[in-house]
Amino acid sequence: MDEQKNRVLLFTYTSIFLSSLSFGTGIVLLPVFIQGLGGSYVDMGLVGAVRGIPMVFLVLFIGYLADRVNRSTLFIVSLLLNAPPFIALIFATEIYQIIIIQIFQGIANAILFPASDILIADLAPKKERIKVMGRYEGSIISGFLVGPILGGIIVDFFSFEALFLTSGIITLVGGILAWGTIGRSYIPPIRKEDLIVKFSKLNIIRILPVILVMLPYGVVIAVLISIFPGYVSNLGFVPMQVGFILTTLSFSRIIICFNIEKVMKIGVRRVIAMAGSGLTISLIFLSFQQGIIGLSIAVFIVGIFSGILFPVVLAFIPQRVPRKNIGTAMGLLSASHGLGSLIGPIGGGIIAVLWAPNVVYIALGLLTIIIIPLSLTWGKQEK
């Protein structure tokens, strides 16, 4: 790999780790904070959903924009934009205030996630794509591995205000680091054609099954972030214990991410089908657990199979579209993920209120069955 690209990749991994650390510290325990204000499962779902709305409507434009401007600039701006919403949460005393703040957090995320995906996809050499995507996902999950425990400690020993302040500072540091390193080292691709996207060149039919896999994935991850912490808290666990259980999710995902090349040896279709069936079984198993050991084991297994999907999907998209259109294709992918992030918290909150909180995870398990037939329509992975 080119030394300069290697350096940019390293700094990108570091910056995205800091961003995910701020999320794992602050956002993961936000449902517990909402409960403290008297919020219900519907309130938790609504807060998570409004964070997902910009992901549905903005990411395609951000992807299009990334094909036309310096991709590192978008990435740096998105990191810096994530700091103010965390700081604003310090002063939130009502649910509606959190909802308004999370809309702005969602806008920042709608820039961050496609921008980082596109930047990594652009930098990854063809022969090392799976490995690079695995390390990228690993840098994201590493933040969520450390964040929940760190957040739980901060809340138990200090306060939620200290938690949100810490999260804001962490993501601000990530943005400053990216500006001082990636911003000065990244060389964008040369633009030789006009600025009009020709969607016929995106081979949408070829990538549609890949994009659709992100919909149930987005639903599952959004529920685990927006509702599951509140569900665990209602079972009688303190924030530090909630953080520990969520850490097991990240721990198993990071193990998979750094070993994704070995997993891929059985073939991309089999891997995705295995991930879909594994998620179905583990999520239904999760719905019957109430003790810390059972919950941790179930979440650990969910992490294994969810950890497979993201790096494989990210590595697959650049094989199917021209480099100059990677941004738009990744925008479509993020839009599918964002739609899942919108549907999941609202649907999960309603199900929890109308039936029972554990029924949410049975419904998620049934939803992920759709990944299995989708996997059969994927083309062969390029070497």
Side-chain angles (χ1 to χ4, degrees), residues 65-66 68-75 119 182-183 186-188 191:
L65 192 63
R68 270 120 204 103
V69 302
N70 191 309
R71 293 165 179 175
S72 67
T73 302
L74 274 180
F75 177 62
L119 188 61
I182 303 168
Y186 174 70
I187 301 175
R191 320 284 180 191

Side-chain angles (χ1 to χ4, degrees), residues 22-23 25-34 37 82-93 98 101-102 105 151 154-155 159-171:
S22 70
F23 253 70
T25 303
I27 295 300
V28 165
L29 289 177
L30 187 58
V32 181
F33 178 63
I34 293 170
L37 296 178
N82 260 295
F86 280 119
I87 303 301
L89 283 171
I90 296 173
F91 307 101
T93 56
I98 298 175
I101 292 168
Q102 288 307 287
Q105 191 98 60
I154 292 172
V155 171
S159 64
F160 275 104
E161 289 78 10
L163 175 76
F164 299 136
L165 177 61
T166 302
S167 296
I169 292 172
I170 291 172
T171 193

Side-chain angles (χ1 to χ4, degrees), residues 75 90 119 134 199 215-216 232 247 262 286 288 291 309 311 359-360:
F75 177 62
I90 296 173
L119 188 61
F199 280 87
L215 182 60
V232 176
T247 294
K262 297 177 182 178
L286 173 63
F288 294 100
L309 289 175
V359 176
V360 174

Side-chain angles (χ1 to χ4, degrees), residues 28-292:
V28 165
L29 289 177
L30 187 58
V32 181
F33 178 63
I34 293 170
Q35 278 186 321
L37 296 178
S40 66
Y41 282 112
V42 172
D43 293 322
M44 294 179 213
L46 184 58
V47 169
V50 297
R51 196 166 54 239
I53 290 174
M55 285 285 288
V56 179
F57 298 104
L58 289 181
V59 289
L60 184 56
F61 169 72
I62 297 301
Y64 171 86
L65 192 63
D67 285 334
R68 270 120 204 103
V69 302
N70 191 309
R71 293 165 179 175
S72 67
T73 302
L74 274 180
F75 177 62
I76 294 165
V77 168
S78 66
L79 288 169
L80 296 174
L81 286 177
N82 260 295
F86 280 119
I87 303 301
L89 283 171
I90 296 173
F91 307 101
T93 56
E94 302 287 343
I95 302 294
Y96 80 89
Q97 294 171 340
I98 298 175
I99 290 173
I100 294 172
I101 292 168
Q102 288 307 287
I103 291 174
F104 289 99
Q105 191 98 60
I107 292 172
N109 290 343
I111 304 173
L112 172 62
F113 291 120
S116 59
D117 293 350
I118 294 160
L119 188 61
I120 291 291
D122 185 31
L123 292 168
K126 184 176 179 181
K127 292 183 179 179
E128 298 183 30
R129 201 166 272 151
I130 285 289
K131 181 171 73 174
V132 169
M133 294 305 175
R135 289 177 177 176
Y136 167 56
E137 173 71 348
S139 67
I140 296 174
I141 302 306
S142 294
F144 282 95
L145 176 68
V146 180
I149 289 183
L150 175 62
I153 292 172
I154 292 172
V155 171
D156 282 347
F157 286 92
F158 298 98
S159 64
F160 275 104
E161 289 78 10
L163 175 76
F164 299 136
L165 177 61
T166 302
S167 296
I169 292 172
I170 291 172
T171 193
L172 185 61
V173 170
I176 294 172
L177 174 67
W179 172 75
T181 55
I182 303 168
R184 300 182 181 186
S185 303
Y186 174 70
I187 301 175
I190 298 172
R191 320 284 180 191
K192 292 183 178 180
E193 297 188 5
D194 58 71
L195 300 183
I196 299 175
V197 171
K198 297 179 180 178
F199 280 87
S200 60
K201 292 185 177 181
L202 288 180
N203 297 313
I204 290 179
I205 298 301
R206 295 180 70 195
I207 63 175
L208 184 60
V210 186
I211 290 172
L212 290 178
V213 164
M214 281 290 98
L215 182 60
Y217 172 85
V219 171
V220 170
I221 296 301
V223 169
L224 290 176
I225 292 175
S226 301
I227 294 178
F228 183 68
Y231 170 68
V232 176
S233 179
N234 272 348
L235 292 176
F237 296 104
V238 299
M240 192 182 299
Q241 292 172 314
V242 175
F244 172 79
I245 292 170
L246 289 168
T247 294
T248 61
L249 173 73
S250 300
F251 182 65
S252 58
R253 292 184 73 186
I254 198 169
I255 291 174
I256 288 295
C257 288
F258 286 109
N259 291 278
I260 193 67
E261 289 179 285
K262 297 177 182 178
V263 177
M264 287 300 297
K265 289 180 180 179
I266 68 174
V268 66
R269 292 177 183 173
R270 291 178 181 176
V271 165
I272 298 303
M274 178 181 69
S277 57
L279 279 173
T280 297
I281 295 169
S282 57
L283 284 164
I284 292 175
F285 174 68
L286 173 63
S287 70
F288 294 100
Q289 306 307 310
Q290 293 191 339
I292 191 168

